[in-house]
Every structure is written in structure tokens, then in C-alpha cells.
């Protein structure tokens, strides 16, 4: 099975040794004169590299979808990977191997990270406490008009208190083609109906943020069989701080 997993990065960083499976990809490369050695560029072939400031790691996904010939394609981040290990060390030797991925695909179509649980708020509440609500509202409108069969799944996911985050997954080619066709059609339409000129630099990454919640909408509707694996962080996580910040956002939303 020919498996490729893109490792999205915007700077030089330690990368996996298995370069047959894991491909470092430099995002936003069309806005840079040079890319690090041994990285591929998201600005070659059929690409949307120039959209990276607003689409985040999705420019890597689009590039892989359009330009790589493989049986399965995945997307991870330079400091976040998927692992089977119960308590993974912060070590690249802990990430999913080609054999582990192939074994998981014997009974599954898709590999995703374990869900992030919010407990005190729904996915919709979490989104609007952190980001401007208008893009998410417009995404729902587009789905209602262009993909009405997905609308009930959208509303269901928005009411849940957990989600598969980070735009990380590994998919067999058939579901990948279906997902990317659906996702990018919605996001490109969303580009044309929201005005982000007044957003700060962080908030202009809006299409990447919206796509994180759309993955579960698509999974809920299509019913492809997926398996969850743990997320390995190469850098430390302050969970107490994250929890405190989430409560702050809930009671003091940054956007009205």
C-alpha cells in the first residue's frame, strides 16, 4: 500500500526518518524565496500556496490531494503526530509507522486523532467564544444551499461537546477525494461571501478554523469507518493553562 503523510511546517524542524511515508512540506512557500532542504513546496503543480495565511495547513492538504499518486494520504503537523502508544514520549520514534497505518486500514477507511472534549460548552459555543461567528454561520448557509443532505449533520456536530481537531488524519484515496472535493468547494464559496479585511492576523486564518469543525460534519454524514489514535506532541502542553483559558473565553468571549 502506497501511503504518504504530509508533515506541514512553516520553518525548519526535526522530521521523521521514514521519508518514504512522511513528507515534510513547506507551506506558504510561494511567499518565500527559499524553502528548507529536503522539504517539498506547497507552491508547485496544482496549488493554493498563496492562500496559506488564511487556509493554514490546508494548502499542504490541497497540494497532496492534487499532486501525489498514492493509495492513502495523510496530514500532520511538524510538532503534532499520530501514535498508537498509550503514553507516548516526545520522540519521533513513537509516531505511526507504515506497517501500523496499513494494519489500521484493514478494518478502517480513515485514521483521525482522538476527540478533544470541551465538557462545559458545545463545539458551536467553543468556536464563537474564540473566533468571529459570521464565517461559521455562512458555512452553515452554504451547506444548506449546496449540500442540504449535510445540514442535519452540521447541526448535530455543532451541539456536541467534542470534536476531532487539528485538521489531522490519514485517509484512503476514495474518501480523501470525496472529502477534499466537498471541503474545498465549501471553503472557496465561503471566501466569496465574508469580509476578513478587519480581522487581525490570527483571525484571518479563518478557513483553517472552519475546516476543523467541518471534518466531523463530513464523517457524520458519510459514515466512513474511522479509528481514533492518540496525538503525540513534540513540544510540552500546559493543560491547566489551556483549561483556564477556555473558561475565560466562555465567560468573556473575545468577540461579540
Amino acid at each position: 500500500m502506497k501511503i504518504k503523510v504530509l508533515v506541514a511546517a512553516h520553518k525548519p524542524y526535526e522530521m521523521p526518518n521514514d521519508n518514504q511515508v512522511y513528507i515534510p512540506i513547506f507551506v506558504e512557500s510561494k511567499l518565500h524565496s527559499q524553502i528548507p532542504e529536503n522539504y517539498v513546496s506547497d507552491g508547485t503543480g496544482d496549488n493554493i500556496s498563496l492562500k496559506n495565511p488564511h487556509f493554514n495547513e490546508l494548502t499542504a492538504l490541497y497540494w497532496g490531494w492534487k499532486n501525489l499518486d498514492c493509495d492513502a494520504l495523510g496530514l500532520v503537523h511538524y510538532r503534532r503526530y499520530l501514535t498508537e502508544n498509550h503514553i507516548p514520549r516526545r520522540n519521533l520514534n513513537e509516531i505511526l509507522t507504515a506497517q501500523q497505518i496499513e494494519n489500521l486500514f484493514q478494518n478502517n477507511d480513515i485514521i483521525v486523532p482522538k476527540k478533544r472534549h470541551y465538557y462545559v460548552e458545545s463545539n458551536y459555543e467553543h468556536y464563537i467564544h474564540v473566533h468571529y461567528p459570521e464565517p461559521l454561520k455562512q458555512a452553515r448557509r452554504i451547506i444548506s444551499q449546496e449540500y442540504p443532505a449535510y445540514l442535519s449533520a452540521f447541526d448535530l456536530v455543532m451541539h456536541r461537546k467534542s470534536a476531532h481537531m487539528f485538521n489531522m488524519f490519514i485517509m484512503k484515496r476514495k474518501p480523501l477525494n470525496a472529502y477534499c472535493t466537498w471541503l474545498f468547494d465549501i471553503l472557496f464559496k465561503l471566501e466569496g461571501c465574508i469580509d476578513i479585511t478587519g480581522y487581525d492576523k490570527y483571525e484571518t486564518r479563518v478557513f483553517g478554523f472552519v475546516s476543523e469543525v467541518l471534518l466531523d460534519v463530513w464523517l457524520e454524514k458519510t459514515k466512513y469507518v474511522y479509528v481514533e489514535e492518540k496525538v503525540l506532541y513534540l513540544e510540552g502542553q500546559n493543560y491547566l493553562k489551556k483549561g483556564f483559558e477556555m473558561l475565560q473565553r466562555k465567560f468573556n468571549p473575545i468577540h461579540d
Side-chain angles (χ1 to χ4, degrees):
M1 190 174 188
K2 192 175 181 182
I3 301 166
K4 299 296 181 183
V5 180
L6 295 167
V7 184
H10 62 277
K11 62 182 180 180
Y13 205 83
E14 182 183 10
M15 288 290 166
N17 291 324
D18 186 355
N19 56 18
Q20 294 300 306
V21 171
Y22 289 94
I23 303 174
I25 180 167
F26 197 72
V27 296
E28 199 181 55
S29 57
K30 275 204 169 180
L31 299 176
H32 296 265
S33 57
Q34 291 183 322
I35 64 171
E37 187 178 0
N38 298 324
Y39 284 57
V40 300
S41 164
D42 74 344
T44 59
D46 190 346
N47 74 86
I48 55 170
S49 179
L50 291 175
K51 295 181 185 291
N52 182 264
H54 313 309
F55 277 67
N56 297 356
E57 62 279 339
L58 294 182
T59 60
L61 175 63
Y62 186 94
W63 182 88
W65 171 44
K66 291 294 189 178
N67 297 289
L68 288 179
D69 178 17
C70 52
D71 302 311
L73 179 67
L75 177 65
V76 296
H77 305 165
Y78 68 95
R79 56 193 175 92
R80 293 191 195 102
Y81 292 83
L82 296 171
T83 179
E84 282 193 328
N85 295 349
H86 182 61
I87 307 178
R89 298 167 295 171
R90 294 201 294 269
N91 189 307
L92 283 171
N93 293 327
E94 305 277 307
I95 67 178
L96 287 180
T97 65
Q99 189 59 61
Q100 288 173 328
I101 295 170
E102 196 156 345
N103 290 343
L104 290 168
F105 275 145
Q106 289 183 9
N107 298 306
N108 301 281
D109 301 305
I110 302 166
I111 306 167
V112 292
K114 283 191 175 296
K115 285 184 178 179
R116 171 174 280 187
H117 295 269
Y118 297 114
Y119 301 108
V120 297
E121 60 186 3
S122 67
N123 292 325
Y124 177 76
E125 290 169 330
H126 178 75
Y127 188 96
I128 66 170
H129 291 157
V130 181
H131 309 297
Y132 290 108
E134 185 62 19
L136 195 59
K137 292 178 181 178
Q138 289 296 326
R140 185 185 187 279
R141 182 189 60 78
I142 292 167
I143 289 172
S144 70
Q145 293 179 349
E146 304 293 334
Y147 299 96
Y150 286 77
L151 187 59
S152 61
F154 181 93
D155 290 339
L156 178 65
V157 168
M158 290 302 102
H159 281 89
R160 286 178 181 164
K161 294 184 178 180
S162 61
H164 300 103
M165 302 303 288
F166 309 129
N167 284 324
M168 287 173 53
F169 48 78
I170 309 172
M171 294 189 187
K172 291 179 180 177
R173 174 56 76 168
K174 182 178 178 180
L176 177 87
N177 287 341
Y179 176 63
C180 287
T181 300
W182 178 84
L183 174 69
F184 286 107
D185 184 51
I186 293 171
L187 295 181
F188 292 158
K189 285 182 169 65
L190 184 60
E191 272 190 298
C193 63
I194 61 171
D195 181 6
I196 64 173
T197 54
Y199 289 14
D200 63 28
K201 185 176 181 180
Y202 178 73
E203 285 301 312
T204 60
R205 296 159 60 186
V206 56
F207 305 104
F209 298 145
V210 170
S211 68
E212 284 188 289
V213 297
L214 290 184
L215 173 61
D216 275 357
V217 174
W218 183 81
L219 290 174
E220 176 65 30
K221 175 63 176 68
T222 60
K223 303 300 182 184
Y224 275 106
V225 181
Y226 66 82
V227 60
E228 296 180 343
E229 292 296 344
K230 288 166 284 297
V231 177
L232 182 151
Y233 296 88
L234 291 185
E235 299 174 357
Q237 301 294 300
N238 189 330
Y239 294 106
L240 183 62
K241 179 181 178 183
K242 286 178 179 291
F244 179 71
E245 288 174 346
M246 186 176 75
L247 289 172
Q248 277 191 314
R249 290 193 298 265
K250 179 174 177 60
F251 296 108
N252 297 286
I254 61 172
H255 303 306
D256 295 327

